[in-house]
Amino acid sequence: MTVQSDNLSKCTHLICLALFTLMIGPGPVSGQQIRLDQMQIYVQSDTLKLDAQIDTLFSRRTLDAIETGMTASILIQFRLAAGPRTILRHHPILTRLEHDIWEGEYRVVRFSSQPDTLDTTSFDTVRAYCAQLQGIPLGPLPESDRQLTLQYHIEVNPISPEQQRRTRRWLNLLERWSLLEFFIQLNRSSEGTGWVDLLRFTPSSLPHILPTPLESPSEPEQTP
Amino acid sequence: MTPLSLRWRVIIALIALVLGTSLAFSYLTRYFLNQGILFRTNVEMAQALNDALSLAKENYDDRKRRMNEAGNRLFGSQTLQAAFETGNSVPIQTELQAHRLQDLELQFLTPGENPAEWSAIPSVETPVVFKHPEKANLLCLAVPILQGGTPFGVLLATARIDQLLNVENAVHTFKHLEIEESEGLQQDVLLGFLVTTVCIVILACLIGIRMGFGITRPLYALIKGTREMARDNLDYRIPPGRDDEIGLLIESFNRMAEDLKENRRKRLEAEQIAAWREIARRLAHEIKNPLTPIQLTVQQMRDKYDGTDPGYLKLVQDCTEIVTEEVENLRALVQEFANFARMPSLSLAPHDLNAVILDVVRLYPDAHIELDLASTLPELNLDPDQMRRVLINLIENGIDASGSNGRMVLTTRTQPDTVLLTVTDSGPGISFEDQERIFQPYVSTKESGMGLGLAVVRGIVEEHEGHISVTNPESGGARFEIQLPVPEESFQSPEVQP
């Protein structure tokens, strides 16, 4: 009797362990090595601004998807923190990249405080446009001269919401009370960085740059 | 509706359990298998879809090239001009057929009549092929119609490219699945299968455990009942509440316990009565023997006295009378003891109970006795002499309790298996405590009497395999009820008399 109980207990532990392993095994995508290069932060007209270059924005997988005409989205977020839980400024930039494979054209729409659109037939132009961040306004210059941290978060998703719906329809997941709804999530295709500390600085240490006459007016300030 | 027996319930439950589990697993297996097939992505499928997309692209480019050629041929031609003016597009369709574009839909636009469509055209100066800016499934050819170098109309020919877009969508979905699969989609499906399987197994186990408890719980109650009985606790009863075989078993057990308790009571009473009878017999024997010598001795003392003292003579005569009287009382008492101790064996034979009652009532002409006898009674196995003794005892008790002006009612009724005889008096009744013990020997509510009468009555009734009880009716007095069994040979149809 004791031996049977021990065996039963072992089997139960094994089943629990297997289920636990299955549940924690396939985690979300941690992403490729997206990072910011040639970063410069400065003050222009009492506004904190940022110039930067994103390195390796598109992974091989994302490039394949774009090549077949899938619509990708790129979400870049900056925030200025005075402490672990004190966020002073938050600035999101959402970019939608469409590829018309029939005409061989790309359209990049950037949703920010100042929307912008690029139409081109060159993917290199697209890559440069998406990777180049020029004059990104982070908000008004803080009055106190305490140390601040600039953080960024980049997420690239080659699956558009329309494609999500199409795939779910294909898998019959749109059926009411579908059993698989409880277990399957189709939103793990995005790749990103998580929140990364980019720079620690004090406002007084930043260079001041005068606006050039030909420079386009800076985007309106945005506060969280 | 008759409830299902336990056997059928168990069988049906087990079949349902097995079928339910099997069907659930079958459904789940088919479901997950189908999903697995849908998820299945491989190199061959990817290559086929990419090839299909390349072919679709070639088809698109070829169609676009032919539309361009057809547009250039129509641009500035008399055919287009005439068709625009007459509205007859047949010559244009003929021209388009030459370029294998017979499936195009034709429409003439003017800036005044169709401003929306007009503004969607990229160029109205030269022929142009373009995708419709709002309807992605339309490939359009716009051929301007000039008049004096100024566009005043456009031939818009549209082709549907839904099939090409379907190929593109299929490639996108496949690519999406490839990405999801690389991130653990199959593990999700497997996890779903395992979780649902474990849930079903747990559910089946719970149902099985509940069924098992449902079956064994009453059995455990029976086991507890038998143990209580083994501990001599005959008052223990198993709660009923089931309509199946186990319910019948519980009912039988409870009935058996009740019978055992009743038999024990009867046995104890019989032993008690036997003991009392033995005492009575010995008392009667020991007392009876010296009574006659005492009486004779006293009488001899009185007779032999030859003195002349009148006072002493009177004393002797008075004492003799007292001793003789008390000896007679003792003799009567001894006779009563002897009667109780010598309960004669019954001589049973079929008799009419009503006739016995009428015989006895005739002995009490001055008593107010009312008879309410059933018109037809089955003959009972009676000892008429003993039954007279019973009736005399009850009637005399009733007369004693009711007084000289009291009333008594004797009734007989036929019941399904018995005949009911009641003797009701109009006395003060019998207290509840006395009702419990009034049939025991030497228990009496009267100041005089030995308390043996009702014990004898009960003994005779039980010798007849009957039952006697006493109650106080709402109308007052006491009512003795005697139930006597109807023998099978004289059993009549159960006719209940009013």
Side-chain angles (χ1 to χ4, degrees):
Chain A
M1 191 71 182
T2 309
V3 175
Q4 283 180 347
S5 298
D6 287 349
N7 289 337
L8 188 65
S9 176
K10 282 178 184 173
C11 285
T12 309
H13 287 155
L14 281 175
I15 290 171
C16 291
L17 188 64
L19 286 175
F20 181 72
T21 308
L22 277 169
M23 290 174 77
I24 65 168
V29 179
S30 56
Q32 77 280 15
Q33 296 297 320
I34 303 176
R35 65 177 188 276
L36 286 183
D37 274 351
Q38 303 170 23
M39 188 273 300
Q40 184 186 9
I41 184 167
Y42 54 93
V43 180
Q44 190 175 54
S45 304
D46 291 335
T47 300
L48 275 174
K49 289 195 172 182
L50 173 76
D51 293 344
Q53 178 81 28
I54 304 174
D55 186 34
T56 326
L57 181 60
F58 299 120
S59 68
R60 182 69 251 164
R61 196 176 78 179
T62 306
L63 288 174
D64 283 348
I66 293 171
E67 190 183 340
T68 59
M70 298 180 80
T71 299
S73 62
I74 305 156
L75 176 63
I76 305 170
Q77 299 180 83
F78 292 99
R79 68 185 184 192
L80 208 56
R85 294 179 181 176
T86 310
I87 308 300
L88 299 179
R89 309 277 186 268
H90 178 236
H91 186 82
I93 304 166
L94 176 63
T95 305
R96 180 181 167 94
L97 197 166
E98 298 171 357
H99 178 202
D100 184 348
I101 58 168
W102 311 106
E103 297 294 333
E105 292 175 348
Y106 297 92
R107 165 167 286 194
V108 184
V109 182
R110 181 173 284 174
F111 302 93
S112 182
S113 50
Q114 190 174 21
D116 195 7
T117 301
L118 168 72
D119 288 315
T120 179
T121 57
S122 164
F123 187 71
D124 289 337
T125 308
V126 171
R127 192 196 300 261
Y129 179 82
C130 292
Q132 188 69 40
L133 301 174
Q134 194 73 38
I136 303 300
L138 300 176
L141 185 68
E143 291 180 357
S144 67
D145 198 33
R146 57 181 167 172
Q147 191 177 51
L148 303 173
T149 304
L150 180 64
Q151 299 173 318
Y152 72 92
H153 172 264
I154 300 175
E155 191 175 328
V156 181
N157 189 351
I159 309 300
S160 64
E162 297 86 358
Q163 183 56 49
Q164 290 257 8
R165 281 195 289 276
R166 266 201 298 272
T167 307
R168 293 170 72 81
R169 201 179 303 125
W170 188 353
L171 298 178
N172 294 325
L173 287 182
L174 288 182
E175 289 176 2
R176 186 172 289 184
W177 302 108
S178 170
L179 188 60
L180 283 177
E181 282 278 5
F182 292 105
F183 303 104
I184 291 181
Q185 296 178 345
L186 293 175
N187 56 0
R188 295 178 303 182
S189 49
S190 64
E191 299 169 320
T193 60
W195 283 100
V196 178
D197 286 352
L198 182 61
L199 178 69
R200 292 179 195 278
F201 64 94
T202 54
S204 61
S205 65
L206 297 178
H208 288 248
I209 296 177
L210 293 174
T212 57
L214 295 177
E215 192 177 0
S216 61
S218 61
E219 296 182 30
E221 297 168 357
Q222 181 163 349
T223 54
Chain B
M1 184 178 170
T2 309
L4 283 174
S5 67
L6 180 67
R7 178 186 300 167
W8 280 109
R9 279 164 58 187
V10 170
I11 290 171
I12 290 171
L14 287 177
I15 289 172
L17 188 64
V18 170
L19 279 182
T21 312
S22 304
L23 287 175
F25 271 114
S26 302
Y27 173 77
L28 275 178
T29 306
R30 188 182 68 82
Y31 182 76
F32 283 99
L33 190 63
N34 285 344
Q35 293 296 340
I37 290 170
L38 286 174
F39 293 152
R40 189 69 185 163
T41 56
N42 51 47
V43 177
E44 289 81 6
M45 181 69 84
Q47 188 60 49
L49 282 171
N50 284 335
D51 291 346
L53 189 61
S54 298
L55 288 174
K57 183 71 169 60
E58 285 177 17
N59 179 284
Y60 181 87
D61 291 341
D62 180 56
R63 177 182 291 257
K64 193 174 176 183
R65 181 183 54 76
R66 283 184 275 118
M67 289 173 79
N68 259 322
E69 289 174 0
N72 288 332
R73 282 187 63 85
L74 285 171
F75 182 58
S77 67
Q78 284 297 321
T79 308
L80 179 62
Q81 191 76 24
F84 179 72
E85 289 171 357
T86 62
N88 179 13
S89 59
V90 174
I92 296 176
Q93 286 172 344
T94 307
E95 180 64 32
L96 292 173
Q97 279 179 4
H99 292 83
R100 292 183 288 126
L101 294 170
Q102 58 273 15
D103 57 338
L104 298 187
E105 290 182 9
L106 304 180
Q107 186 182 7
F108 288 107
L109 305 178
T110 58
E113 294 176 1
N114 315 91
E117 283 97 338
W118 186 273
S119 62
I121 299 170
S123 167
V124 291
E125 304 293 333
T126 57
V128 61
V129 177
F130 61 98
K131 276 179 71 179
H132 198 283
E134 293 174 1
K135 300 171 186 172
N137 62 336
L138 294 183
L139 182 62
C140 306
L141 162 65
V143 184
I145 301 163
L146 304 177
Q147 196 169 46
T150 306
F152 68 97
V154 163
L155 168 67
L156 186 67
T158 55
R160 301 184 69 88
I161 54 170
D162 300 84
Q163 293 171 325
L164 308 183
L165 296 180
N166 287 342
V167 174
E168 184 188 15
N169 288 338
V171 171
H172 292 173
T173 304
F174 186 82
K175 184 69 74 178
H176 185 193
L177 283 177
E178 267 190 337
I179 294 172
E180 295 289 349
E181 195 175 69
S182 68
E183 300 300 337
L185 188 62
Q186 293 286 9
Q187 281 91 334
D188 281 0
V189 178
L190 182 61
L191 177 67
F193 182 76
L194 279 178
V195 169
T196 47
T197 302
V198 169
C199 288
I200 287 174
V201 169
I202 289 173
L203 192 65
C205 289
L206 289 177
I207 292 171
I209 289 169
R210 182 172 167 73
M211 280 174 52
F213 272 100
I215 293 169
T216 55
R217 193 179 293 120
L219 295 180
Y220 276 105
L222 277 170
I223 291 170
K224 186 181 177 190
T226 53
R227 285 178 180 164
E228 290 292 329
M229 201 172 286
R231 284 197 210 107
D232 209 24
N233 179 11
L234 296 181
D235 290 325
Y236 183 81
R237 298 289 182 275
I238 300 171
R242 296 178 65 111
D243 296 328
D244 50 19
E245 289 93 333
I246 290 184
L248 288 174
L249 190 59
I250 290 171
E251 189 183 333
S252 300
F253 177 88
N254 288 341
R255 198 183 304 126
M256 181 185 71
E258 190 67 38
D259 291 346
L260 280 174
K261 187 180 174 187
E262 180 66 17
N263 288 339
R264 171 181 288 186
R265 187 188 64 77
K266 285 181 177 174
R267 182 169 50 81
L268 288 175
E269 282 183 1
E271 288 173 356
Q272 199 175 19
I273 288 174
W276 281 117
R277 280 180 181 164
E278 180 62 20
I279 293 171
R281 189 185 63 76
R282 289 193 178 188
L283 274 174
H285 178 73
E286 296 298 328
I287 295 173
K288 185 181 177 183
N289 286 342
L291 283 182
T292 302
I294 290 171
Q295 189 175 12
L296 290 174
T297 303
V298 172
Q299 285 175 351
Q300 196 172 11
M301 284 172 62
R302 184 193 60 189
D303 295 342
K304 293 290 183 182
Y305 180 69
D306 54 359
T308 57
D309 186 353
Y312 185 75
L313 181 61
K314 186 174 185 313
L315 176 66
V316 170
Q317 284 177 343
D318 288 345
C319 288
T320 304
E321 283 177 10
I322 290 170
V323 169
T324 303
E325 188 178 338
E326 291 302 321
V327 165
E328 288 302 323
N329 285 341
L330 278 174
R331 190 169 280 129
L333 186 64
V334 166
Q335 187 60 42
E336 204 167 343
F337 277 152
N339 287 341
F340 176 65
R342 277 198 325 266
M343 195 72 79
S345 60
L346 298 182
S347 170
L348 296 176
H351 284 283
D352 183 8
L353 179 62
N354 284 345
V356 177
I357 293 170
L358 291 173
D359 273 354
V360 173
V361 170
R362 211 171 290 129
L363 300 175
Y364 302 93
D366 297 332
H368 301 287
I369 298 176
E370 188 178 321
L371 295 177
D372 181 11
L373 305 180
S375 57
T376 56
L377 275 185
E379 288 195 328
L380 305 177
N381 281 331
L382 298 177
D383 183 331
D385 292 337
Q386 296 301 323
M387 195 50 67
R388 276 191 203 98
R389 201 171 160 190
V390 167
L391 287 168
I392 287 169
N393 255 304
L394 293 178
I395 289 172
E396 289 192 350
N397 277 345
I399 290 171
D400 288 344
S402 306
S404 56
N405 293 325
R407 289 176 62 252
M408 296 193 65
V409 181
L410 271 68
T411 67
T412 53
R413 292 286 184 272
T414 305
Q415 292 184 329
D417 296 327
T418 57
V419 165
L420 174 66
L421 163 65
T422 65
V423 179
T424 309
D425 63 41
S426 56
I430 299 170
S431 68
F432 183 75
E433 296 78 20
D434 288 340
Q435 287 176 17
E436 293 290 319
R437 57 191 190 93
I438 199 163
F439 295 106
Q440 294 176 6
Y442 308 108
V443 174
S444 176
T445 57
K446 296 184 291 188
E447 291 182 1
S448 63
M450 294 299 298
L452 292 173
L454 287 177
V456 170
V457 166
R458 179 177 178 172
I460 294 171
V461 170
E462 290 186 348
E463 287 285 322
H464 282 81
E465 297 181 355
H467 177 74
I468 184 168
S469 61
V470 62
T471 57
N472 289 337
E474 291 180 0
S475 55
R479 173 180 293 162
F480 289 88
E481 294 183 351
I482 297 173
Q483 286 186 313
L484 296 169
V486 178
E488 286 187 9
E489 57 270 19
S490 62
F491 186 79
Q492 296 177 352
S493 61
E495 182 185 351
V496 178
Q497 298 296 326

